[in-house]
Amino acid sequence: MDSHGQNEQRVVWTVVGTDIGPLLLAATQDGLVNVVFHATDAVRDRTLDRLASRLGTEPVEAPDSPLLAEAIRQFEAYFAGTRRDFDLPLDWSLISGFNRQVLRELASGVPYGSVVGYGDLAGRVGQPRAAQAVGVAMGSNPLPVVVPCHRVVESDGGIGGFGGGLETKRKLLALEGVLPEPLF
């Protein structure tokens, strides 16, 4: 509690090494709130500034935090190929409206090893003409990998875009058996 008797928001973070490069994981008492690709020093600093602004508190580096421990374990197991689904509490406070609706549908309705088209996902949330808006929702996903925006592809068979870069998307889809492993 703060000096006014209010519960103070706590944000903890760490960077973990993965097969797709360093990921920044941030969590609140409500759950995992942010996953950020390519967590170099510059990306990390921008992310922490944005989180502080959006959540109203300075994030604290805490790699041993109980709030992050299970997320770290599950990411390690996912990249080792021994976990197919994430079972983590999620803090959805960085996203709202249509984007949150689309991402929740994606998280619950597109399992490991499968893909869905942008238009198909739009139809699942009752907006069949909103394929472009689904693309915007994918680009604003604060919880990539856990909320698997890498599983959303173009209806013509194209891989589509990806905030973490197309090579990262290919690696994630290969890990899940959707694409063959790259030759080099």
Side-chain angles (χ1 to χ4, degrees):
M1 296 247 183
D2 66 16
S3 61
H4 303 290
Q6 300 293 315
N7 283 329
E8 189 175 319
Q9 174 77 293
R10 181 162 186 238
V11 181
V12 294
W13 67 275
T14 192
V15 173
V16 295
T18 72
D19 293 348
I20 57 170
L23 294 177
L24 183 143
L25 307 180
T28 67
Q29 62 207 17
D30 295 327
L32 191 65
V33 71
N34 207 195
V35 176
V36 179
F37 293 112
H38 315 298
T40 60
D41 290 347
V43 169
R44 181 199 64 216
D45 292 346
R46 281 192 308 272
T47 298
L48 297 175
D49 288 345
R50 185 180 53 80
L51 285 171
S53 173
R54 296 279 310 275
L55 299 175
T57 188
E58 199 66 37
V60 175
E61 184 174 17
D64 297 326
S65 168
L67 295 173
L68 291 169
E70 185 59 24
I72 293 167
R73 277 193 291 279
Q74 289 190 29
F75 270 90
E76 288 171 347
Y78 173 81
F79 284 107
T82 59
R83 174 175 278 282
R84 293 178 162 235
D85 300 304
F86 289 90
D87 183 22
L88 297 167
L90 302 178
D91 178 339
W92 292 93
S93 63
L94 295 178
I95 195 136
S96 61
F98 177 79
N99 291 355
R100 183 187 289 191
Q101 181 184 8
V102 168
L103 292 172
R104 283 183 178 265
E105 173 59 31
L106 175 63
S108 65
V110 183
Y112 183 98
S114 65
V115 294
V116 65
Y118 293 94
D120 293 334
L121 191 52
R124 289 185 187 191
V125 296
Q127 301 290 329
R129 296 177 188 218
Q132 281 188 311
V134 166
V136 171
M138 296 306 102
S140 65
N141 181 2
L143 296 161
V145 184
V146 176
V147 177
C149 52
H150 61 277
R151 296 180 190 154
V152 182
V153 297
E154 295 173 347
S155 60
D156 66 1
I159 195 168
F162 193 62
L166 293 181
E167 186 58 29
T168 299
K169 186 171 187 173
R170 284 186 189 96
K171 286 181 178 179
L172 290 168
L173 291 173
L175 174 68
E176 295 187 8
V178 175
L179 291 176
E181 287 287 339
L183 295 175
F184 47 90

